[in-house]
Amino acid sequence: GNSVTQMEGPVTLSEEAFLTINCTYTATGYPSLFWYVQYPGEGLQLLLKATKADDKGSNKGFEATYRKETTSFHLEKGSVQVSDSAVYFCALTQGGNNRLAFGKGNQVVVIP
Amino acid sequence: GAGVSQSPSNKVTEKGKDVELRCDPISGHTALYWYRQSLGQGLEFLIYFQGNSAPDKSGLPSDRFSAERTGGSVSTLTIQRTQQEDSAVYLCASSLDTTTSGNTIYFGEGSWLTVV
């Protein structure tokens, strides 16, 4: 079945540092790929998405490129802010039900 | 409405009691999803509806869990004879439909359920 794998453990970094969160997936065919973010005390929000190979999703300074050859959708931001502290979930949908399969999530803590 | 609305936002219930959680999707969205978020389990799919029909109930943890949707709009998730392991955040989401891959799925803020 479809699955998403995110790197283990929380990520702690200083303000203005470069952020990368790895995400790889297993799926047959051509899934759509998403990053969702959950800020403290809030619900899940869509951060960005890509629906076909080589597409780049971008929003709020974050980017992720759909790489079919490596089955990856890594999230990057060049200069993080304290306000980026949140939990980030990689996810995919495929098939006729549009059901999301999520990774375990990564907590990102940005220190001033 | 402007977004997916869920109620109650918080619920504390005694073990063995039944609970109902309500979801009001974004107007015009025919697809509705229920997920559960708990420590150690991440985000688990429970059930989805296309209109009033639920083609995929594979994620429901046990027969104590059921869900219905009427009028293609509001959905209710019912947990009977609650157990402590049911404590979690129950998230509802909606999208325009289920047939178009890549449709954005919008989430509500969740119902926090605590079983004591």
Side-chain angles (χ1 to χ4, degrees), chain B residues 3-4 24 38 42 52 60 64 69-70 88-89 113:
Chain B
V4 178
D24 201 343
S38 54
N52 293 333
L60 293 176
R64 296 186 295 105
R69 189 180 186 194
T70 55
V89 181
L113 174 66

PDB file of all heavy atoms in Angstrom, chain B residues 3-4 24 38 42 52 60 64 69-70 88-89 113:
ATOM      1  N   GLY B   3     -14.879  27.561   6.749  1.00  0.00           N
ATOM      2  CA  GLY B   3     -13.935  26.470   6.937  1.00  0.00           C
ATOM      3  C   GLY B   3     -14.666  25.256   7.471  1.00  0.00           C
ATOM      4  O   GLY B   3     -15.879  25.273   7.662  1.00  0.00           O
ATOM      5  N   VAL B   4     -13.891  24.196   7.727  1.00  0.00           N
ATOM      6  CA  VAL B   4     -14.468  22.996   8.328  1.00  0.00           C
ATOM      7  C   VAL B   4     -14.679  23.266   9.824  1.00  0.00           C
ATOM      8  O   VAL B   4     -13.751  23.691  10.505  1.00  0.00           O
ATOM      9  CB  VAL B   4     -13.551  21.782   8.127  1.00  0.00           C
ATOM     10  CG1 VAL B   4     -14.146  20.558   8.794  1.00  0.00           C
ATOM     11  CG2 VAL B   4     -13.307  21.541   6.637  1.00  0.00           C
ATOM     12  N   ASP B  24     -18.996  19.854  10.288  1.00  0.00           N
ATOM     13  CA  ASP B  24     -19.711  20.619   9.264  1.00  0.00           C
ATOM     14  C   ASP B  24     -18.680  21.013   8.201  1.00  0.00           C
ATOM     15  O   ASP B  24     -17.809  21.855   8.470  1.00  0.00           O
ATOM     16  CB  ASP B  24     -20.329  21.859   9.896  1.00  0.00           C
ATOM     17  CG  ASP B  24     -21.466  22.414   9.070  1.00  0.00           C
ATOM     18  OD1 ASP B  24     -21.569  22.039   7.882  1.00  0.00           O
ATOM     19  OD2 ASP B  24     -22.236  23.218   9.606  1.00  0.00           O
ATOM     20  N   SER B  38      -3.215  10.804  17.548  1.00  0.00           N
ATOM     21  CA  SER B  38      -2.869  10.492  18.931  1.00  0.00           C
ATOM     22  C   SER B  38      -1.365  10.324  19.048  1.00  0.00           C
ATOM     23  O   SER B  38      -0.681  10.048  18.069  1.00  0.00           O
ATOM     24  CB  SER B  38      -3.588   9.222  19.398  1.00  0.00           C
ATOM     25  OG  SER B  38      -3.340   8.151  18.506  1.00  0.00           O
ATOM     26  N   GLY B  42       0.426   8.905  15.406  1.00  0.00           N
ATOM     27  CA  GLY B  42       0.396   9.835  14.293  1.00  0.00           C
ATOM     28  C   GLY B  42      -1.027  10.069  13.822  1.00  0.00           C
ATOM     29  O   GLY B  42      -1.983  10.020  14.595  1.00  0.00           O
ATOM     30  N   ASN B  52     -23.297  11.013   0.665  1.00  0.00           N
ATOM     31  CA  ASN B  52     -23.728  10.332   1.893  1.00  0.00           C
ATOM     32  C   ASN B  52     -23.209   8.906   1.999  1.00  0.00           C
ATOM     33  O   ASN B  52     -23.476   8.218   2.989  1.00  0.00           O
ATOM     34  CB  ASN B  52     -25.259  10.298   1.964  1.00  0.00           C
ATOM     35  CG  ASN B  52     -25.862  11.675   2.142  1.00  0.00           C
ATOM     36  OD1 ASN B  52     -25.223  12.565   2.691  1.00  0.00           O
ATOM     37  ND2 ASN B  52     -27.080  11.862   1.663  1.00  0.00           N
ATOM     38  N   LEU B  60     -11.810   2.294  10.537  1.00  0.00           N
ATOM     39  CA  LEU B  60     -12.497   2.322  11.836  1.00  0.00           C
ATOM     40  C   LEU B  60     -11.882   1.266  12.747  1.00  0.00           C
ATOM     41  O   LEU B  60     -11.799   0.091  12.370  1.00  0.00           O
ATOM     42  CB  LEU B  60     -13.990   2.075  11.665  1.00  0.00           C
ATOM     43  CG  LEU B  60     -14.761   3.180  10.937  1.00  0.00           C
ATOM     44  CD1 LEU B  60     -16.217   2.782  10.735  1.00  0.00           C
ATOM     45  CD2 LEU B  60     -14.667   4.509  11.693  1.00  0.00           C
ATOM     46  N   ARG B  64     -17.169  -0.399  17.741  1.00  0.00           N
ATOM     47  CA  ARG B  64     -17.709   0.654  18.610  1.00  0.00           C
ATOM     48  C   ARG B  64     -17.761   1.994  17.891  1.00  0.00           C
ATOM     49  O   ARG B  64     -18.404   2.926  18.370  1.00  0.00           O
ATOM     50  CB  ARG B  64     -16.846   0.781  19.877  1.00  0.00           C
ATOM     51  CG  ARG B  64     -16.848  -0.443  20.762  1.00  0.00           C
ATOM     52  CD  ARG B  64     -16.102  -0.188  22.068  1.00  0.00           C
ATOM     53  NE  ARG B  64     -14.671   0.070  21.861  1.00  0.00           N
ATOM     54  CZ  ARG B  64     -14.100   1.257  21.953  1.00  0.00           C
ATOM     55  NH1 ARG B  64     -14.822   2.342  22.233  1.00  0.00           N
ATOM     56  NH2 ARG B  64     -12.796   1.396  21.759  1.00  0.00           N
ATOM     57  N   ARG B  69     -23.458  10.405   7.509  1.00  0.00           N
ATOM     58  CA  ARG B  69     -23.538  11.731   6.895  1.00  0.00           C
ATOM     59  C   ARG B  69     -24.888  11.847   6.227  1.00  0.00           C
ATOM     60  O   ARG B  69     -25.311  10.944   5.506  1.00  0.00           O
ATOM     61  CB  ARG B  69     -22.422  11.910   5.857  1.00  0.00           C
ATOM     62  CG  ARG B  69     -22.312  13.341   5.344  1.00  0.00           C
ATOM     63  CD  ARG B  69     -21.208  13.450   4.322  1.00  0.00           C
ATOM     64  NE  ARG B  69     -21.001  14.840   3.937  1.00  0.00           N
ATOM     65  CZ  ARG B  69     -20.297  15.218   2.869  1.00  0.00           C
ATOM     66  NH1 ARG B  69     -19.723  14.295   2.093  1.00  0.00           N
ATOM     67  NH2 ARG B  69     -20.153  16.487   2.586  1.00  0.00           N
ATOM     68  N   THR B  70     -25.552  12.930   6.497  1.00  0.00           N
ATOM     69  CA  THR B  70     -26.886  13.127   5.943  1.00  0.00           C
ATOM     70  C   THR B  70     -26.937  14.400   5.123  1.00  0.00           C
ATOM     71  O   THR B  70     -26.250  15.387   5.442  1.00  0.00           O
ATOM     72  CB  THR B  70     -27.933  13.190   7.067  1.00  0.00           C
ATOM     73  OG1 THR B  70     -27.552  14.212   7.995  1.00  0.00           O
ATOM     74  CG2 THR B  70     -28.022  11.861   7.805  1.00  0.00           C
ATOM     75  N   ALA B  88      -7.951  10.973  22.062  1.00  0.00           N
ATOM     76  CA  ALA B  88      -7.200  11.430  20.887  1.00  0.00           C
ATOM     77  C   ALA B  88      -7.849  12.717  20.399  1.00  0.00           C
ATOM     78  O   ALA B  88      -8.874  13.152  20.926  1.00  0.00           O
ATOM     79  CB  ALA B  88      -7.228  10.384  19.775  1.00  0.00           C
ATOM     80  N   VAL B  89      -7.244  13.286  19.368  1.00  0.00           N
ATOM     81  CA  VAL B  89      -7.888  14.382  18.650  1.00  0.00           C
ATOM     82  C   VAL B  89      -8.520  13.795  17.399  1.00  0.00           C
ATOM     83  O   VAL B  89      -7.850  13.123  16.614  1.00  0.00           O
ATOM     84  CB  VAL B  89      -6.891  15.482  18.247  1.00  0.00           C
ATOM     85  CG1 VAL B  89      -7.607  16.609  17.515  1.00  0.00           C
ATOM     86  CG2 VAL B  89      -6.159  16.003  19.471  1.00  0.00           C
ATOM     87  N   LEU B 113     -10.769  14.551  22.515  1.00  0.00           N
ATOM     88  CA  LEU B 113     -11.546  13.647  23.355  1.00  0.00           C
ATOM     89  C   LEU B 113     -10.642  13.057  24.429  1.00  0.00           C
ATOM     90  O   LEU B 113      -9.585  12.499  24.119  1.00  0.00           O
ATOM     91  CB  LEU B 113     -12.155  12.517  22.516  1.00  0.00           C
ATOM     92  CG  LEU B 113     -12.878  11.423  23.304  1.00  0.00           C
ATOM     93  CD1 LEU B 113     -14.127  11.993  23.984  1.00  0.00           C
ATOM     94  CD2 LEU B 113     -13.256  10.251  22.408  1.00  0.00           C
TER      95      LEU B 113
END
